[in-house]
Amino acid sequence: MTELLTRCPVIPVVVLDDPAQALPLGAALLAGGIDVVEITLRTEAGIEGIRALSELPELTVGAGSVLLPDQVDRVVDAGARFVVSPGVSPDVLARAATCGVPALPGVATASDLMAAAALGLTEVKFFPAGLLGGPAAIRALAAPFGDFTFMPSGGVTASNLADYLALPQVPAVSGSWMVDPALLREERWDEVTERSATTLRAAAAEPG
């Protein structure tokens, strides 16, 4: 998971309405410089979207909103190379390990982080970051959990991503502004590319 989080500073979180959106979306992201994407299982199109995107060798495709062990099997069979969950599930983590894919569980509290530490984890998703206090909350939690790195998700935007990435404990953020469902429905692929490129420039800018 560490390699994935340091590969691209911004990981798009995608909700697909139609699997036919997948390949043009992948091409648009790559054109904008983003080569890691999380396709959620919030819609029926998620699995088939992962399958389609796995045909693009330059793109590392993962599955999000993975709640159950059998979903791990399904997304890995479809070509997912990592899984992301909103919470800490030992069963999901164990199945991901069995399948040989990295997993990123979500945490919201110190108790969640203790549970993750007990499972030998050091990389977590901080969700929902905006509602939990944003960068200040990560700074506070990182004090007693110094070995952890965090990927904030939920409430991360183009205007605040630099505040998160300025933290040494945050190698990457996830968000959806560059893959807004309306852009996908309307096939505005050039705008996806433009937003992706703009986002990476913002991520690379010096804080302050």
Side-chain angles (χ1 to χ4, degrees):
M1 202 70 225
T2 300
E3 181 182 349
L4 282 170
L5 292 180
T6 55
R7 176 173 174 174
C8 187
V10 182
I11 298 178
V13 179
V14 179
V15 179
L16 286 177
D17 294 324
D18 183 343
Q21 299 167 345
L23 282 177
L25 169 64
L29 290 172
L30 288 168
I34 290 178
D35 61 0
V36 180
V37 64
E38 173 188 332
I39 306 297
T40 72
L41 301 187
R42 300 178 194 176
T43 65
E44 292 296 324
I47 294 286
E48 289 308 312
I50 291 168
R51 195 181 309 281
L53 286 169
S54 67
E55 298 176 9
L56 298 175
E58 315 98 307
L59 193 65
T60 299
V61 184
S65 304
V66 177
L67 309 179
L68 300 168
D70 71 290
Q71 291 178 319
V72 177
D73 295 332
R74 293 174 62 204
V75 300
V76 171
D77 286 345
R81 294 166 62 184
F82 64 94
V83 298
V84 182
S85 300
V88 178
S89 166
D91 291 338
V92 166
L93 293 165
R95 188 65 63 85
T98 298
C99 292
V101 295
L104 192 71
V107 301
T109 66
S111 294
D112 292 340
L113 282 162
M114 290 178 69
L119 293 168
L121 302 175
T122 55
E123 296 92 13
V124 293
K125 167 183 171 178
F126 185 57
F127 175 80
L131 292 177
L132 294 172
I138 294 175
R139 279 194 297 269
L141 287 168
F145 296 96
D147 293 335
F148 275 81
T149 55
F150 300 79
M151 183 183 77
S153 181
V156 181
T157 66
S159 61
N160 66 19
L161 71 90
D163 296 331
Y164 285 103
L165 291 172
L167 300 175
Q169 302 86 2
V170 176
V173 301
S174 69
S176 59
W177 64 91
M178 76 295 290
V179 289
D180 187 284
L183 298 180
L184 278 55
R185 286 194 300 269
E186 297 164 15
E187 300 183 356
R188 291 153 60 187
W189 308 120
D190 288 345
E191 188 167 348
V192 171
T193 295
E194 181 182 351
R195 290 192 187 188
S196 298
T198 300
T199 292
L200 289 183
R201 287 194 295 270
E206 290 294 330

